Amino acid sequence: MELHQHPPYCKQHNLPSEASFRFSRGVHPAVAEIGVKRGLQFMAAWAGGTVAPGLVDMYPLKPKDSVVEVTPKDVKRLLGIELTNEEIGKLLTHLEFKCEITGSSVKVTAPPHRMDIGEGVVGLADVLEEVARSYGFDKIPTTTMSDALPPQIGNPVHEWEEHLRDLLVAIACRKLSPIE
């Protein structure tokens, strides 16, 4: 049985096909092994055969799972709620994240099917969004900004165009767009 992972160049070079459309939506290559094993189970059950052990994997670049360090201080600063490392781990484990408590932080590894979880600062925001969702948005207290709003700086070119547009409308000018 063969399973093919379409590389992104199908989309980049405008090489459309039914298969490239189906598989270009972000299927993590690690899920391919699970799919092949399940397909082989069905083939063996329906055809009455046996499956040879092992798989041949020709994927050139094994993708790495996103790993993010999360601390209770991050949760407090960005979500405004107090959670322990254990509570953070429990909330994320329910969503199939692998969590390892290391001292004062939780090392979070995203599951293969979660290709939307990044790394670094973006990954931290992604993981904390999942913490908030699992914790319950309705349980997070609302707060007001502690500082005053920064001074608003206008866009002089845009303001001039808006003023000119208002003047032209005031003297009954209308905008005409050519039909292409």
Side-chain angles (χ1 to χ4, degrees):
M1 174 180 226
E2 177 187 357
L3 183 96
H4 181 73
Q5 176 73 23
H6 279 265
Y9 63 72
C10 293
K11 197 178 247 184
Q12 292 169 349
H13 297 292
N14 196 21
L15 300 170
S17 72
E18 183 180 333
S20 68
F21 173 73
R22 188 178 320 119
F23 295 110
S24 67
R25 290 181 248 153
V27 177
H28 195 286
V31 180
E33 183 177 337
I34 297 166
V36 166
K37 286 181 178 177
R38 185 70 172 143
L40 290 171
Q41 282 178 340
F42 284 129
M43 288 174 69
W46 294 339
T50 58
V51 177
L55 292 174
V56 177
D57 188 359
M58 301 288 289
Y59 198 78
L61 300 171
K62 299 270 186 202
K64 57 183 184 122
D65 295 327
S66 295
V67 178
V68 180
E69 292 276 337
V70 180
T71 65
K73 189 186 289 185
D74 293 329
V75 174
K76 175 66 176 163
R77 183 172 59 87
L78 296 171
L79 298 180
I81 55 177
E82 304 254 354
L83 294 176
T84 64
N85 284 337
E86 290 76 19
E87 291 171 319
I88 295 167
K90 185 177 178 186
L91 291 170
L92 292 170
T93 302
H94 288 302
L95 301 174
E96 300 181 36
F97 287 83
K98 290 182 186 128
C99 298
E100 179 185 333
I101 298 173
T102 56
S104 63
S105 66
V106 181
K107 185 178 177 182
V108 180
T109 305
H113 65 273
R114 292 298 307 268
M115 293 183 65
D116 59 320
I117 305 297
E119 289 190 326
V121 176
V122 172
L124 177 63
D126 292 337
V127 169
L128 289 180
E129 180 182 0
E130 296 303 320
V131 168
R133 191 170 64 83
S134 186
Y135 180 78
F137 290 122
D138 55 328
K139 293 183 193 174
I140 297 174
T142 57
T143 58
T144 56
M145 286 182 56
S146 58
D147 291 334
L149 286 174
Q152 300 299 307
I153 300 171
N155 182 342
V157 173
H158 179 68
E159 290 172 3
W160 181 84
E161 287 177 6
E162 286 294 318
H163 179 67
L164 181 60
R165 188 175 291 121
D166 292 341
L167 290 174
L168 291 171
V169 167
I171 60 170
C173 291
R174 302 287 179 248
K175 180 179 178 182
L176 297 177
S177 297
I179 299 174
E180 295 180 16

